[in-house]
PDB file of all heavy atoms in Angstrom:
ATOM      1  N   ASP V  46    -110.918  72.805 146.127  1.00 97.00           N
ATOM      2  CA  ASP V  46    -111.861  71.723 145.758  1.00 97.00           C
ATOM      3  C   ASP V  46    -111.106  70.415 145.536  1.00 97.00           C
ATOM      4  O   ASP V  46    -111.539  69.347 145.981  1.00 97.00           O
ATOM      5  CB  ASP V  46    -112.607  72.067 144.466  1.00 97.00           C
ATOM      6  CG  ASP V  46    -113.653  73.148 144.672  1.00 97.00           C
ATOM      7  OD1 ASP V  46    -113.928  73.486 145.842  1.00 97.00           O
ATOM      8  OD2 ASP V  46    -114.171  73.653 143.661  1.00 97.00           O
ATOM      9  N   ASN V  47    -109.973  70.495 144.833  1.00 97.00           N
ATOM     10  CA  ASN V  47    -109.215  69.264 144.548  1.00 97.00           C
ATOM     11  C   ASN V  47    -108.584  68.692 145.813  1.00 97.00           C
ATOM     12  O   ASN V  47    -108.554  67.469 145.996  1.00 97.00           O
ATOM     13  CB  ASN V  47    -108.135  69.525 143.494  1.00 97.00           C
ATOM     14  CG  ASN V  47    -108.715  69.553 142.097  1.00 97.00           C
ATOM     15  OD1 ASN V  47    -109.786  69.005 141.850  1.00 97.00           O
ATOM     16  ND2 ASN V  47    -108.019  70.188 141.171  1.00 97.00           N
ATOM     17  N   ALA V  48    -108.093  69.559 146.688  1.00 97.00           N
ATOM     18  CA  ALA V  48    -107.533  69.071 147.950  1.00 97.00           C
ATOM     19  C   ALA V  48    -108.627  68.343 148.739  1.00 97.00           C
ATOM     20  O   ALA V  48    -108.401  67.278 149.319  1.00 97.00           O
ATOM     21  CB  ALA V  48    -106.962  70.232 148.763  1.00 97.00           C
ATOM     22  N   ARG V  49    -109.834  68.920 148.721  1.00 98.00           N
ATOM     23  CA  ARG V  49    -110.950  68.298 149.462  1.00 98.00           C
ATOM     24  C   ARG V  49    -111.316  66.943 148.849  1.00 98.00           C
ATOM     25  O   ARG V  49    -111.552  65.965 149.567  1.00 98.00           O
ATOM     26  CB  ARG V  49    -112.146  69.254 149.463  1.00 98.00           C
ATOM     27  CG  ARG V  49    -113.321  68.733 150.282  1.00 98.00           C
ATOM     28  CD  ARG V  49    -114.366  69.801 150.527  1.00 98.00           C
ATOM     29  NE  ARG V  49    -113.869  70.877 151.379  1.00 98.00           N
ATOM     30  CZ  ARG V  49    -113.651  72.139 150.969  1.00 98.00           C
ATOM     31  NH1 ARG V  49    -113.905  72.508 149.730  1.00 98.00           N
ATOM     32  NH2 ARG V  49    -113.178  73.045 151.809  1.00 98.00           N
ATOM     33  N   LEU V  50    -111.359  66.868 147.514  1.00 97.00           N
ATOM     34  CA  LEU V  50    -111.686  65.588 146.853  1.00 97.00           C
ATOM     35  C   LEU V  50    -110.711  64.496 147.305  1.00 97.00           C
ATOM     36  O   LEU V  50    -111.103  63.366 147.612  1.00 97.00           O
ATOM     37  CB  LEU V  50    -111.596  65.734 145.325  1.00 97.00           C
ATOM     38  CG  LEU V  50    -112.727  66.493 144.634  1.00 97.00           C
ATOM     39  CD1 LEU V  50    -112.371  66.773 143.169  1.00 97.00           C
ATOM     40  CD2 LEU V  50    -114.013  65.671 144.708  1.00 97.00           C
ATOM     41  N   LYS V  51    -109.409  64.858 147.345  1.00 96.00           N
ATOM     42  CA  LYS V  51    -108.383  63.868 147.721  1.00 96.00           C
ATOM     43  C   LYS V  51    -108.534  63.472 149.188  1.00 96.00           C
ATOM     44  O   LYS V  51    -108.447  62.295 149.540  1.00 96.00           O
ATOM     45  CB  LYS V  51    -106.976  64.449 147.481  1.00 96.00           C
ATOM     46  CG  LYS V  51    -106.642  64.591 145.999  1.00 96.00           C
ATOM     47  CD  LYS V  51    -105.203  65.004 145.779  1.00 96.00           C
ATOM     48  CE  LYS V  51    -105.028  66.478 145.622  1.00 96.00           C
ATOM     49  NZ  LYS V  51    -103.725  66.881 145.038  1.00 96.00           N
ATOM     50  N   ALA V  52    -108.757  64.463 150.053  1.00 97.00           N
ATOM     51  CA  ALA V  52    -108.845  64.168 151.492  1.00 97.00           C
ATOM     52  C   ALA V  52    -110.092  63.355 151.814  1.00 97.00           C
ATOM     53  O   ALA V  52    -110.029  62.392 152.583  1.00 97.00           O
ATOM     54  CB  ALA V  52    -108.824  65.475 152.285  1.00 97.00           C
ATOM     55  N   VAL V  53    -111.233  63.727 151.228  1.00 97.00           N
ATOM     56  CA  VAL V  53    -112.486  63.008 151.515  1.00 97.00           C
ATOM     57  C   VAL V  53    -112.366  61.540 151.094  1.00 97.00           C
ATOM     58  O   VAL V  53    -112.822  60.634 151.804  1.00 97.00           O
ATOM     59  CB  VAL V  53    -113.678  63.701 150.806  1.00 97.00           C
ATOM     60  CG1 VAL V  53    -114.904  62.808 150.788  1.00 97.00           C
ATOM     61  CG2 VAL V  53    -113.993  65.030 151.484  1.00 97.00           C
ATOM     62  N   ALA V  54    -111.723  61.291 149.952  1.00 97.00           N
ATOM     63  CA  ALA V  54    -111.558  59.907 149.487  1.00 97.00           C
ATOM     64  C   ALA V  54    -110.791  59.080 150.511  1.00 97.00           C
ATOM     65  O   ALA V  54    -111.129  57.917 150.777  1.00 97.00           O
ATOM     66  CB  ALA V  54    -110.842  59.885 148.135  1.00 97.00           C
ATOM     67  N   ILE V  55    -109.778  59.684 151.127  1.00 97.00           N
ATOM     68  CA  ILE V  55    -108.975  58.943 152.115  1.00 97.00           C
ATOM     69  C   ILE V  55    -109.745  58.771 153.419  1.00 97.00           C
ATOM     70  O   ILE V  55    -109.722  57.704 154.043  1.00 97.00           O
ATOM     71  CB  ILE V  55    -107.628  59.668 152.368  1.00 97.00           C
ATOM     72  CG1 ILE V  55    -106.797  59.711 151.085  1.00 97.00           C
ATOM     73  CG2 ILE V  55    -106.844  58.995 153.487  1.00 97.00           C
ATOM     74  CD1 ILE V  55    -106.401  58.363 150.528  1.00 97.00           C
ATOM     75  N   VAL V  56    -110.458  59.815 153.846  1.00 97.00           N
ATOM     76  CA  VAL V  56    -111.270  59.694 155.065  1.00 97.00           C
ATOM     77  C   VAL V  56    -112.299  58.577 154.886  1.00 97.00           C
ATOM     78  O   VAL V  56    -112.491  57.735 155.775  1.00 97.00           O
ATOM     79  CB  VAL V  56    -111.974  61.032 155.402  1.00 97.00           C
ATOM     80  CG1 VAL V  56    -112.981  60.839 156.528  1.00 97.00           C
ATOM     81  CG2 VAL V  56    -110.956  62.090 155.792  1.00 97.00           C
ATOM     82  N   GLU V  57    -112.945  58.550 153.721  1.00 96.00           N
ATOM     83  CA  GLU V  57    -113.979  57.530 153.498  1.00 96.00           C
ATOM     84  C   GLU V  57    -113.379  56.130 153.463  1.00 96.00           C
ATOM     85  O   GLU V  57    -113.989  55.171 153.926  1.00 96.00           O
ATOM     86  CB  GLU V  57    -114.747  57.838 152.203  1.00 96.00           C
ATOM     87  CG  GLU V  57    -115.696  59.010 152.412  1.00 96.00           C
ATOM     88  CD  GLU V  57    -116.459  59.411 151.156  1.00 96.00           C
ATOM     89  OE1 GLU V  57    -116.162  58.858 150.080  1.00 96.00           O
ATOM     90  OE2 GLU V  57    -117.335  60.289 151.281  1.00 96.00           O
ATOM     91  N   ALA V  58    -112.184  56.000 152.916  1.00 96.00           N
ATOM     92  CA  ALA V  58    -111.565  54.668 152.799  1.00 96.00           C
ATOM     93  C   ALA V  58    -110.960  54.188 154.115  1.00 96.00           C
ATOM     94  O   ALA V  58    -110.912  52.982 154.368  1.00 96.00           O
ATOM     95  CB  ALA V  58    -110.495  54.690 151.709  1.00 96.00           C
ATOM     96  N   THR V  59    -110.497  55.105 154.969  1.00 96.00           N
ATOM     97  CA  THR V  59    -109.754  54.690 156.169  1.00 96.00           C
ATOM     98  C   THR V  59    -110.496  54.966 157.475  1.00 96.00           C
ATOM     99  O   THR V  59    -110.153  54.386 158.499  1.00 96.00           O
ATOM    100  CB  THR V  59    -108.400  55.435 156.263  1.00 96.00           C
ATOM    101  OG1 THR V  59    -108.669  56.836 156.443  1.00 96.00           O
ATOM    102  CG2 THR V  59    -107.550  55.231 155.015  1.00 96.00           C
ATOM    103  N   GLY V  60    -111.450  55.896 157.442  1.00 96.00           N
ATOM    104  CA  GLY V  60    -112.111  56.298 158.691  1.00 96.00           C
ATOM    105  C   GLY V  60    -111.237  57.158 159.576  1.00 96.00           C
ATOM    106  O   GLY V  60    -111.566  57.439 160.729  1.00 96.00           O
ATOM    107  N   GLU V  61    -110.093  57.600 159.044  1.00 97.00           N
ATOM    108  CA  GLU V  61    -109.164  58.423 159.827  1.00 97.00           C
ATOM    109  C   GLU V  61    -109.062  59.827 159.227  1.00 97.00           C
ATOM    110  O   GLU V  61    -109.398  60.033 158.055  1.00 97.00           O
ATOM    111  CB  GLU V  61    -107.773  57.782 159.811  1.00 97.00           C
ATOM    112  CG  GLU V  61    -107.715  56.462 160.534  1.00 97.00           C
ATOM    113  CD  GLU V  61    -106.275  56.024 160.723  1.00 97.00           C
ATOM    114  OE1 GLU V  61    -105.630  56.534 161.651  1.00 97.00           O
ATOM    115  OE2 GLU V  61    -105.811  55.179 159.940  1.00 97.00           O
ATOM    116  N   PRO V  62    -108.538  60.796 159.991  1.00 97.00           N
ATOM    117  CA  PRO V  62    -108.293  62.126 159.427  1.00 97.00           C
ATOM    118  C   PRO V  62    -107.298  62.029 158.263  1.00 97.00           C
ATOM    119  O   PRO V  62    -106.396  61.183 158.287  1.00 97.00           O
ATOM    120  CB  PRO V  62    -107.680  62.918 160.581  1.00 97.00           C
ATOM    121  CG  PRO V  62    -108.030  62.174 161.815  1.00 97.00           C
ATOM    122  CD  PRO V  62    -108.162  60.742 161.424  1.00 97.00           C
ATOM    123  N   ALA V  63    -107.465  62.884 157.264  1.00 98.00           N
ATOM    124  CA  ALA V  63    -106.581  62.849 156.096  1.00 98.00           C
ATOM    125  C   ALA V  63    -106.075  64.244 155.772  1.00 98.00           C
ATOM    126  O   ALA V  63    -106.753  65.250 156.014  1.00 98.00           O
ATOM    127  CB  ALA V  63    -107.316  62.283 154.894  1.00 98.00           C
ATOM    128  N   LEU V  64    -104.868  64.275 155.217  1.00 98.00           N
ATOM    129  CA  LEU V  64    -104.203  65.541 154.901  1.00 98.00           C
ATOM    130  C   LEU V  64    -103.889  65.576 153.410  1.00 98.00           C
ATOM    131  O   LEU V  64    -103.205  64.684 152.901  1.00 98.00           O
ATOM    132  CB  LEU V  64    -102.913  65.608 155.718  1.00 98.00           C
ATOM    133  CG  LEU V  64    -102.088  66.883 155.657  1.00 98.00           C
ATOM    134  CD1 LEU V  64    -102.916  68.091 156.043  1.00 98.00           C
ATOM    135  CD2 LEU V  64    -100.889  66.756 156.590  1.00 98.00           C
ATOM    136  N   ALA V  65    -104.401  66.597 152.724  1.00 97.00           N
ATOM    137  CA  ALA V  65    -104.170  66.703 151.281  1.00 97.00           C
ATOM    138  C   ALA V  65    -103.446  68.001 150.953  1.00 97.00           C
ATOM    139  O   ALA V  65    -103.535  68.990 151.681  1.00 97.00           O
ATOM    140  CB  ALA V  65    -105.498  66.660 150.530  1.00 97.00           C
ATOM    141  N   ASP V  66    -102.716  67.956 149.850  1.00 97.00           N
ATOM    142  CA  ASP V  66    -102.024  69.137 149.301  1.00 97.00           C
ATOM    143  C   ASP V  66    -102.427  69.230 147.841  1.00 97.00           C
ATOM    144  O   ASP V  66    -102.316  68.251 147.110  1.00 97.00           O
ATOM    145  CB  ASP V  66    -100.510  68.891 149.444  1.00 97.00           C
ATOM    146  CG  ASP V  66     -99.602  69.735 148.537  1.00 97.00           C
ATOM    147  OD1 ASP V  66     -99.979  70.025 147.384  1.00 97.00           O
ATOM    148  OD2 ASP V  66     -98.484  70.055 148.976  1.00 97.00           O
ATOM    149  N   ASP V  67    -102.937  70.379 147.433  1.00 98.00           N
ATOM    150  CA  ASP V  67    -103.086  70.596 145.997  1.00 98.00           C
ATOM    151  C   ASP V  67    -102.331  71.864 145.642  1.00 98.00           C
ATOM    152  O   ASP V  67    -102.452  72.887 146.328  1.00 98.00           O
ATOM    153  CB  ASP V  67    -104.550  70.683 145.562  1.00 98.00           C
ATOM    154  CG  ASP V  67    -104.679  70.340 144.081  1.00 98.00           C
ATOM    155  OD1 ASP V  67    -104.231  69.256 143.687  1.00 98.00           O
ATOM    156  OD2 ASP V  67    -105.203  71.170 143.316  1.00 98.00           O
ATOM    157  N   THR V  68    -101.525  71.775 144.608  1.00 98.00           N
ATOM    158  CA  THR V  68    -100.590  72.840 144.268  1.00 98.00           C
ATOM    159  C   THR V  68    -100.724  73.211 142.796  1.00 98.00           C
ATOM    160  O   THR V  68    -100.911  72.339 141.940  1.00 98.00           O
ATOM    161  CB  THR V  68     -99.143  72.370 144.547  1.00 98.00           C
ATOM    162  OG1 THR V  68     -99.000  72.120 145.945  1.00 98.00           O
ATOM    163  CG2 THR V  68     -98.120  73.413 144.124  1.00 98.00           C
ATOM    164  N   GLY V  69    -100.607  74.508 142.508  1.00 98.00           N
ATOM    165  CA  GLY V  69    -100.618  74.959 141.127  1.00 98.00           C
ATOM    166  C   GLY V  69     -99.562  76.023 140.900  1.00 98.00           C
ATOM    167  O   GLY V  69     -99.194  76.754 141.828  1.00 98.00           O
ATOM    168  N   LEU V  70     -99.080  76.086 139.673  1.00 98.00           N
ATOM    169  CA  LEU V  70     -98.158  77.139 139.257  1.00 98.00           C
ATOM    170  C   LEU V  70     -98.957  78.120 138.404  1.00 98.00           C
ATOM    171  O   LEU V  70     -99.553  77.724 137.394  1.00 98.00           O
ATOM    172  CB  LEU V  70     -97.011  76.531 138.432  1.00 98.00           C
ATOM    173  CG  LEU V  70     -96.021  77.527 137.845  1.00 98.00           C
ATOM    174  CD1 LEU V  70     -95.259  78.276 138.942  1.00 98.00           C
ATOM    175  CD2 LEU V  70     -95.025  76.815 136.913  1.00 98.00           C
ATOM    176  N   GLU V  71     -98.984  79.384 138.839  1.00 98.00           N
ATOM    177  CA  GLU V  71     -99.771  80.403 138.134  1.00 98.00           C
ATOM    178  C   GLU V  71     -98.813  81.357 137.427  1.00 98.00           C
ATOM    179  O   GLU V  71     -98.047  82.062 138.082  1.00 98.00           O
ATOM    180  CB  GLU V  71    -100.630  81.179 139.139  1.00 98.00           C
ATOM    181  CG  GLU V  71    -101.565  80.289 139.942  1.00 98.00           C
ATOM    182  CD  GLU V  71    -102.213  80.979 141.139  1.00 98.00           C
ATOM    183  OE1 GLU V  71    -101.849  82.146 141.440  1.00 98.00           O
ATOM    184  OE2 GLU V  71    -103.070  80.347 141.784  1.00 98.00           O
ATOM    185  N   VAL V  72     -98.871  81.370 136.114  1.00 98.00           N
ATOM    186  CA  VAL V  72     -97.958  82.196 135.323  1.00 98.00           C
ATOM    187  C   VAL V  72     -98.740  83.394 134.783  1.00 98.00           C
ATOM    188  O   VAL V  72     -99.743  83.231 134.073  1.00 98.00           O
ATOM    189  CB  VAL V  72     -97.343  81.371 134.172  1.00 98.00           C
ATOM    190  CG1 VAL V  72     -96.399  82.234 133.348  1.00 98.00           C
ATOM    191  CG2 VAL V  72     -96.629  80.141 134.716  1.00 98.00           C
ATOM    192  N   ASP V  73     -98.284  84.601 135.132  1.00 98.00           N
ATOM    193  CA  ASP V  73     -99.054  85.805 134.790  1.00 98.00           C
ATOM    194  C   ASP V  73     -99.229  85.979 133.286  1.00 98.00           C
ATOM    195  O   ASP V  73    -100.312  86.320 132.821  1.00 98.00           O
ATOM    196  CB  ASP V  73     -98.383  87.035 135.415  1.00 98.00           C
ATOM    197  CG  ASP V  73     -98.445  86.988 136.940  1.00 98.00           C
ATOM    198  OD1 ASP V  73     -99.472  86.509 137.474  1.00 98.00           O
ATOM    199  OD2 ASP V  73     -97.469  87.395 137.589  1.00 98.00           O
ATOM    200  N   ALA V  74     -98.159  85.722 132.518  1.00 98.00           N
ATOM    201  CA  ALA V  74     -98.245  85.911 131.059  1.00 98.00           C
ATOM    202  C   ALA V  74     -99.175  84.893 130.404  1.00 98.00           C
ATOM    203  O   ALA V  74     -99.558  85.057 129.239  1.00 98.00           O
ATOM    204  CB  ALA V  74     -96.845  85.815 130.442  1.00 98.00           C
ATOM    205  N   LEU V  75     -99.558  83.860 131.152  1.00 98.00           N
ATOM    206  CA  LEU V  75    -100.497  82.843 130.635  1.00 98.00           C
ATOM    207  C   LEU V  75    -101.842  82.952 131.354  1.00 98.00           C
ATOM    208  O   LEU V  75    -102.594  81.975 131.452  1.00 98.00           O
ATOM    209  CB  LEU V  75     -99.906  81.431 130.830  1.00 98.00           C
ATOM    210  CG  LEU V  75     -98.537  81.171 130.197  1.00 98.00           C
ATOM    211  CD1 LEU V  75     -98.042  79.755 130.526  1.00 98.00           C
ATOM    212  CD2 LEU V  75     -98.598  81.354 128.677  1.00 98.00           C
ATOM    213  N   ASP V  76    -102.126  84.158 131.879  1.00 98.00           N
ATOM    214  CA  ASP V  76    -103.394  84.399 132.579  1.00 98.00           C
ATOM    215  C   ASP V  76    -103.642  83.408 133.722  1.00 98.00           C
ATOM    216  O   ASP V  76    -104.773  82.959 133.931  1.00 98.00           O
ATOM    217  CB  ASP V  76    -104.584  84.365 131.603  1.00 98.00           C
ATOM    218  CG  ASP V  76    -104.511  85.499 130.598  1.00 98.00           C
ATOM    219  OD1 ASP V  76    -104.048  86.591 130.966  1.00 98.00           O
ATOM    220  OD2 ASP V  76    -104.898  85.272 129.432  1.00 98.00           O
ATOM    221  N   GLY V  77    -102.584  83.035 134.417  1.00 98.00           N
ATOM    222  CA  GLY V  77    -102.742  82.160 135.585  1.00 98.00           C
ATOM    223  C   GLY V  77    -102.606  80.675 135.292  1.00 98.00           C
ATOM    224  O   GLY V  77    -102.636  79.849 136.215  1.00 98.00           O
ATOM    225  N   ALA V  78    -102.470  80.297 134.014  1.00 98.00           N
ATOM    226  CA  ALA V  78    -102.246  78.886 133.670  1.00 98.00           C
ATOM    227  C   ALA V  78    -100.810  78.514 134.052  1.00 98.00           C
ATOM    228  O   ALA V  78     -99.959  79.396 134.136  1.00 98.00           O
ATOM    229  CB  ALA V  78    -102.484  78.668 132.178  1.00 98.00           C
TER     230      ALA V  78
END
Side-chain angles (χ1 to χ4, degrees):
D46 287 350
N47 281 338
R49 184 167 294 112
L50 285 170
K51 290 187 265 196
V53 166
I55 297 298
V56 171
E57 286 178 353
T59 65
E61 293 191 80
L64 185 56
D66 160 325
D67 203 55
T68 297
L70 176 64
E71 302 168 354
V72 180
D73 294 324
L75 303 177
D76 295 325

